[in-house]
Amino acid sequence: MLEIEIYAAGVRNLEKILELDHELEAVPGLRYKVDSNHDIVYLDFDEPTLRIQEIRAIFRKIGLDPR
């Protein structure tokens, strides 16, 4: 199991959450939770299926800067 915590300013916006949901639903073995009060996204993988660069690309595609 692999857990990643990402700070992404602006993810508290409902539109951004919905866009992120649309992008992440296609990733097999991934569960995630958005802490909209703190702009944090928690990713939980059964196995590493994405590289860090691919995760960053997903966030940037919807206009978020992941850290």
Side-chain angles (χ1 to χ4, degrees):
M1 180 189 309
L2 177 67
E3 297 175 357
I4 300 173
E5 181 179 313
I6 299 173
Y7 172 76
V11 79
R12 63 183 66 197
N13 180 326
L14 181 58
E15 181 180 312
K16 295 295 182 187
I17 293 172
L18 294 174
E19 289 180 64
L20 186 62
D21 178 58
H22 179 71
E23 293 294 326
L24 295 178
E25 71 184 0
V27 180
L30 171 68
R31 290 172 299 283
Y32 75 95
K33 181 173 86 171
V34 176
D35 178 349
S36 59
N37 291 326
H38 299 100
D39 288 332
I40 297 176
V41 179
Y42 301 95
L43 304 176
D44 181 17
F45 295 90
D46 289 333
E47 297 178 15
T49 54
L50 294 176
R51 295 178 297 146
I52 294 297
Q53 294 84 355
E54 294 169 318
I55 294 170
R56 284 185 179 154
I58 290 171
F59 281 81
R60 288 185 178 141
K61 180 179 179 181
I62 61 173
L64 298 172
D65 183 25
R67 296 183 185 163

